[in-house]
Amino acid sequence: MVTIRADEISNIIRERIEQYNREVKIVNTGDEASQTISKKSKKPQYSRFTQQELPACKPILTPGLVITTLISIGIIFVPIGLGSLSASEHVVEIVDRYDDACIPSNGDDEAAKRERLSFIQNAKTNKTCIRNLVVPKKMKHPIHVYYQLDNFYQNHRRYVKSRSDRQYRSPGSEGDTKTCAPESEVDDHRPIVPCGLIAWSLFNDTYGISTKDNPIPINKKDIAWQSDKNSKFGSNVYPKNFQKQDPVGGGKLNESLPLSEQEDLLVWMRTAALPNFRKLYGRIETDLEADEKITVVIQNNYNTYSFDSKKQLVLSTTTWIGGKNDFLGKAYISVGGTCLFLAIAFILTYVIKPRPLGDPAYLSWNLNSATR
Amino acid sequence: MADRSKSKIRFSRLYSFSCLRSPFRDKHSQIGQKGFSRVVYCNEPDNPDQLQLMYRSNYVSTTKYNAFNFIPKSLFEQFRRVANLYFLVVACVSFSPLAPYTATSILFPLIVVIGATMAKEAVEDWRRRKQDIEANNRKVEVYERNHNFQETRWKKLRVGDLVKVYKNEYFPADLLLLSSSYEDGICYVETMNLDGETNLKLKHALDVTASLHDDNSFQQFKAVIKCEDPNEDLYTFVGTLLYDGQQHPLSVQQMLLRDSKLRNTDYIYGVVVFTGHDTKVMQNATDPPSKRSKIEKKMDKIIYILFSTLILISFIGSFFFGIQTKNDIVGGKLKRWYLQPDKTTVFYDPKRAVLAAFFHFLTGLMLYGSLIPISLYVSIEVVKVLQCIFINQDQDMYYEDTDKPARARTSNLNEELGQVDTILSDKTGTLTCNSMEFVKCTIAGIAYGRGMTEVERALAKRKGKAVPDSGNISSYVQGSSNGHTGSRKSVRGFNFKDERIMNGHWVDEPHADVIQKFFRVLALCHTAIPDVNQESGEISYEAESPDEAAFVIAARELGFEFFERTQTSISLHEFDHQSGRKIDRSYKLLHILEFSSARKRMSVIVKNVENQLLLLCKGADSVMFERLSRNGQDFEATTRDHIKEYAEAGLRTLVIAYRELNEEEIRLWEEEFLKAQTSLNVDRDAMVDAAADKIERNLILLGATAVEDKLQKGVPECIDKLAEAGIKMWVITGDKMETAINIGYACSLLRDDMKQIVVTLDSPEINELEKQGDKEAIAKALSVSISKQISEGNSQLRLSKGSSISFGLIIDGKSLSFALNKNLEDSFLDLAINCSSVICCRSTPKQKALVTRLVKKGIGKTTLAIGDGANDVGMLQEADIGVGISGVEGMQAVMSSDFSIAQFRFLERLLLVHGHWCYRRISMMDVSARLCLKYPVLYKEGVQNVFFSWPRILGWMFNGVISSMIIFFFTTNAVANQAFRRDGHVVDYEVLGVMMYTCVVWTVNCQMAISINYFTWIQHFFIWGSIAFWYAFLVMYGAVSPIISTTAYQVLVEACAPSPFYWLVTLLVVMSSLLPYLSYRTLQIQFQPMIHDIIQRLRSEGSETEIPGELSLGSKDKLALVEDKLRDRESLLQ
């Protein structure tokens, strides 16, 4: 540090000159030379990424941009809302709650409840029930027939997990029932096919529809998802030991049909997300005229009486948006409206209190007001 | 040989003050007692008595872990993090049936996070280990039993070993100096690694051992050292040496400490006294603290909040679950019969509903565990690693001269870089390059030297003047360009340009005789030793300090070449202006009255060939002007003016004067001086001082020198920028006050228009008091004095409140030690915070660390310490962020730092650019590097912690809650239970799940997109890529066998995608959940814009394009306008 040798100095100068010469050479010979040089030195390699010099676009929320965005959202949203709303309006829907009508005692007291339960749980009682409905508007085919259950927790954690996709798919996995408890096997340890609580509690009310004296056929084909039929449920897996011992839950299955063709089961097995849900029962392939009277013969088998539930029969047409629900349309209109309102509000503030955003007056570094 | 001739000089005869014998002091009586029990058998490391003492080996380990404790210790460290502990517990529980999902899905990220961090720790520790290995395997010569010196590794050294250390080698352990290549056993030691001081220290062997000169003289050497136990005090040593049957007192004068370096001495012999961890430097070492950034600490708090939320949600959920479960069987009747509550497990058992609820609570903790963002930890780690790469790879922080890029050594603290409030800086080697350059002088009232200093250049630049670029290149490079002149070759330490006196032209100047005397003083009045290169005949100098070297070199360059020193003479090649030739002149050296911080001057008494007796003197202006004789004050006024100018330019000045003596005078004085020197009184020092004082009077002024303590390139500009960014700067240095103030001016910390508040104990009354003894009284008086000075300072500040005067505080180390006492701490901190710059001089490494701690605790904001030497280690470790300057030598500071850079000026980029970006890491970047540097004020956002303040965190949380509510309620209401397709299918739980999650993916990414203001292809790629990936994932995962994909099988392709309803819901929900944030931001930009908003707006308006060449004409006008505005603003502020 303190020692200064003249020869050191000349060394340094020589090095400098050499380095300069090298650099000149790099310029002259191009990339190859520069690579060999940079291997020696610890100088960071140049890349636009490491130097953080990537080309960038820098959008900024200017009032103009925001107002334009808001207005365009509004302009797009309101028509969509109107479209959805009108689509929903075009849907014709008949909803009929029949659970309390199709049971002998309607009281709210304990005795009535008990009576209802013993009625529904007794296999011998005649559960046929007839409902008369009026078509409010012309319903074009296909008319979808649904059953709707309320307060039924198909999404309960125990219920959802109580199934075995392997078993449903291939006959070889018949014994794969450990996830199906408590409906995995009968007393002598033969597996139940299909196992699990979901299958066991299969919905089993049936509907027969007719106008005056003409029965209207309900098409039960293609009510399940195609993927379920093709892949999830085997075409060579047949029900075994199903609903053969107490407690018997819901519907029984035709043992001569493979699971993939038991479409009611497949629909049921697609568990619902929320406690109130509809499931497809079938389709009517004929139009129903306005004010037409239809008769529904219901076999009221399914027990929803032990918990506070509702059973409804739903006949509904569809449009491009699906079934009847005004929410989407209304939401679109209100969000679009809000956007337009905000846009107007911003325009007004901009007119009332115009201040160029890039005002450097706000840049002073000892003005605290600028930052806080 | 030059070596031989040099070693014959007995400096102890020349030096009048420092070679004092150490007498037995009180403490020596304690030897053998507690704390002073060490016994060393010199030259007998195998002596059974020595072995029995079981002293530690010289093996040094600074690692945190070893092979055995790495796993448990680092695991323990990891699980001190709350979130990690939570995830561990969850991972354990997830193996039970309670888990709502598989154990691996939670275990995997945990292992990744912990594994990555542990690997990082391991790598860091491995580096430390490598350094240890390097140090432990360094070679040193040890005296072996075969009576020869043989090379051995440092780690094999034992207490009592006799070692030989050569010039420029580090001492391997704490040694007792026996003898050196100099006859009288002195040696020079550089202690930069210990205390940061660059002046060489003189060490002196005992007279009895100094004669042991060559390898053979140690055959019979036996001695016993009894001394203090290992301790951390660098400045004292108490011991005795039993040699030849006699006791000799030992002091720190004989101790050579590990990690200091032998300089200007060819070799020394020494005995190992303390080894390994017993050495003073290792005793001073503290364990490297594991630093955590503020944001990380805050993250912990956020985790607590989220954790409480999690517990609350789980509790509410399990409460209702319990009620529902209990109701499943009422009076023996099953209610939800489809769940078979009578044949259930403990988790759903209505009969044990409370237990079931408790288990559900545990499940809930796991299920809602995504509230605790483990993936956030993973991504933060990844981002930090990337940021480290960006810092390491930044070409603008690469220093070509030493081939050193910047290094981020820990990744924990990246974002802290964006929040630095106070910088504590070392001086030597950090702000300055530690090289002195002779740049100007004033002789006979005429100022010479046309060079421009870094400071003047910075000043000029600030005033907006054009700066000649020539001086910008380091001085020694220039020579190569015009090498043909030969004589004009530039020299390190000499940056003086003035054709009036260079190349012998000084003879034509009006006061040629004065100029001649002036340079003779420079060539004679020093303690340097010339080293003549035999081949080239060129001369280099070994001097005690760089200043001194600069003077001798200056004299040489101007034709007064000092080439030989003997015991009694100094010889010069001189340019003789009568004959016009070079002649040799020899001066007989009678006395050296050397420099000390108290005397502030140095003199030599010489007799020239004409038998004239001369006293040549150089010293600080404060002591020199009062010593001038009445007829020697000819140019005093102009010289004073020049000195003032120089000082303002940040130069160190010394006044040069001389006097002629007559034989009689000198004889009388010598008598008195000798008497004082040989006196055995306690106040011998004072007597010597007084005697010297008598002869250094009636001086005749010649002129003054100005030496530039060369600032590193770009330091003043960098400090300016940092100040503009609102960062406060403290300089803490071991230098003396004058030097520190000088540097303060040099790097624009202190300015002319600033008021200085000086707190010092260097006043006559205090000195008087100290002489009286009675330690307690002194301490009390000093404390009172300091508290008075501090409160005076505070009242000054209060008085000037409102006015534009700014204050600079200068405090010395001794005062600092009182100011740091508990009772004064607060008022001192008050004072210091309110001053715009603070300079602490004469501070020890420990004080540096203490000041750092005080600042850190006192203001509670982020502190950054920057330093280059081992003496800064404490400071670097104590501060929130330690930045090491990776200089030419000494890696201690770098090893204990968190970031290392090669030059101080890179700090600007590290903080303003990388700090800003790291802090705003969510968006990676919001404004470009150029704008960050142009508007340092952007940095304030970080200091004020705008982006990670509680309101902001809670705001984002609130935004999250709103978004999730919109997503949940909008989707569930939209689907209700109707068909969602034309074919009549209804929504089941897989479809609803996909629908909601699609909305989540879109919302999160769009939210990110509108909060980012800087899109490169990377942002585009990841944001839009994430969304695209979600669909791709659905398609791909939906295509695999339903056994694996279960509910996701074909869900998008078959169920969702063909339904317009699905897309409409997505659009509605995403737009609605973005709307609150969008309107908030718009209002904010309009009414309360943040700094970066303004700057972005400036840029987008076209006034700040990235490439100036692409400016359109219109925007150029605009740019000019805005810049005018800015300038007006700035001038208003000044």
Side-chain angles (χ1 to χ4, degrees), chain B residues 286-322:
Chain B
T286 45
D287 271 345
S290 50
K291 293 182 186 175
R292 301 180 63 200
S293 73
K294 287 219 176 72
I295 289 193
E296 205 175 315
K297 284 179 204 151
K298 210 166 206 176
M299 278 271 288
D300 268 359
K301 282 187 198 140
I302 295 174
I303 295 286
Y304 285 124
I305 292 184
L306 292 176
F307 201 72
S308 327
T309 320
L310 174 61
I311 288 175
L312 184 72
I313 294 176
S314 302
F315 178 79
I316 294 172
S318 61
F319 179 75
F320 287 105
F321 174 83

Side-chain angles (χ1 to χ4, degrees), chain A residues 6 51 146 158 227 318 332, chain B residues 339 393 538 982 984 1054 1064:
Chain A
Q51 301 309 312
Y146 300 95
R158 182 169 193 234
S227 62
T318 51
Y332 260 105
Chain B
L339 297 174
Q393 293 290 321
E538 296 200 50
R982 194 183 270 283
E1054 186 188 28
L1064 283 183

Side-chain angles (χ1 to χ4, degrees), chain B residues 154-167:
Chain B
W154 277 24
K155 63 180 173 193
K156 298 222 172 114
L157 276 189
R158 287 170 304 171
V159 172
D161 267 331
L162 202 64
V163 296
K164 184 176 184 181
V165 178
Y166 291 94
K167 189 163 158 180

Side-chain angles (χ1 to χ4, degrees), chain B residues 26-292:
Chain B
D26 320 340
K27 279 208 168 166
H28 282 90
S29 59
Q30 296 176 348
I31 285 176
Q33 294 170 10
K34 199 162 177 267
F36 298 86
S37 61
R38 198 172 180 94
V39 181
V40 178
Y41 296 90
C42 303
N43 207 10
E44 302 179 276
D46 299 319
N47 185 320
D49 290 340
Q50 182 80 76
L51 292 177
Q52 205 194 331
L53 290 167
M54 305 262 286
Y55 289 138
R56 279 197 248 189
S57 77
N58 202 29
Y59 181 83
V60 164
S61 162
T62 56
T63 56
K64 220 154 125 188
Y65 309 105
N66 59 37
F68 305 105
N69 71 11
F70 176 72
I71 300 279
K73 201 172 166 188
S74 61
L75 272 181
F76 173 74
E77 286 276 321
Q78 283 302 304
F79 287 117
R80 288 204 313 197
R81 223 187 223 174
V82 203
N84 282 352
L85 196 65
Y86 162 76
F87 286 116
L88 181 72
V89 172
V90 165
C92 293
V93 182
S94 65
F95 284 101
S96 76
L98 278 175
Y101 35 71
T102 53
T104 42
S105 62
I106 188 148
L107 211 54
F108 179 72
L110 183 71
I111 289 173
V112 169
V113 171
I114 289 182
T117 333
M118 275 171 68
K120 206 177 76 187
E121 286 277 297
V123 168
E124 276 170 16
D125 214 44
W126 178 251
R127 278 203 214 118
R128 275 193 283 269
R129 198 178 141 69
K130 258 186 12 204
Q131 210 202 8
D132 286 348
I133 290 174
E134 194 270 323
N136 283 323
N137 287 323
R138 276 190 223 161
K139 300 279 173 52
V140 66
E141 284 194 5
V142 173
Y143 197 64
E144 297 285 348
R145 264 186 239 157
N146 60 10
H147 305 305
N148 263 327
F149 277 96
Q150 276 174 355
E151 270 204 344
T152 185
R153 288 161 200 265
W154 277 24
K155 63 180 173 193
K156 298 222 172 114
L157 276 189
R158 287 170 304 171
V159 172
D161 267 331
L162 202 64
V163 296
K164 184 176 184 181
V165 178
Y166 291 94
K167 189 163 158 180
N168 293 337
E169 281 181 356
Y170 287 101
F171 301 117
D174 289 356
L175 308 176
L176 174 75
L177 174 65
L178 292 177
S179 62
S180 76
S181 55
Y182 294 103
E183 253 176 57
D184 48 356
I186 62 154
C187 73
Y188 293 95
V189 171
E190 183 189 277
T191 56
M192 201 150 85
N193 278 342
L194 298 175
D195 54 16
E197 286 186 36
T198 48
N199 284 10
L200 301 185
K201 305 264 161 56
L202 191 70
K203 296 281 173 173
H204 197 282
L206 291 180
D207 281 347
V208 285
T209 59
S211 54
L212 300 163
H213 263 309
D214 51 71
D215 297 8
N216 301 326
S217 49
F218 290 103
Q219 283 189 19
Q220 302 303 321
F221 177 75
K222 289 269 176 332
V224 177
I225 300 166
K226 291 187 175 172
C227 64
E228 61 185 27
D229 289 339
N231 62 56
E232 57 180 42
D233 194 338
L234 295 173
Y235 303 108
T236 63
F237 177 77
V238 177
T240 57
L241 177 77
L242 182 67
Y243 179 57
D244 275 351
Q246 270 198 307
Q247 292 268 0
H248 303 276
L250 297 175
S251 75
V252 76
Q253 269 299 310
Q254 285 82 41
M255 289 307 289
L256 306 173
L257 302 182
R258 185 185 166 118
D259 274 354
S260 50
K261 202 179 199 180
L262 185 64
R263 301 304 295 262
N264 294 9
T265 314
D266 291 323
Y267 57 86
I268 59 105
Y269 295 104
V271 175
V272 177
V273 180
F274 296 116
T275 48
H277 289 273
D278 288 343
T279 56
K280 302 241 180 198
V281 63
M282 293 307 289
Q283 295 272 320
N284 260 305
T286 45
D287 271 345
S290 50
K291 293 182 186 175
R292 301 180 63 200

Side-chain angles (χ1 to χ4, degrees), chain B residues 1099-1114:
Chain B
R1099 185 201 59 216
S1100 78
E1101 280 175 352
S1103 49
E1104 279 296 347
T1105 32
E1106 295 306 308
I1107 307 145
E1110 290 178 6
L1111 275 176
S1112 68
L1113 267 176

Side-chain angles (χ1 to χ4, degrees), chain B residues 12-23:
Chain B
S12 51
R13 300 255 172 87
L14 285 173
Y15 286 107
S16 314
F17 302 103
S18 48
C19 292
L20 308 177
R21 296 286 156 272
S22 45

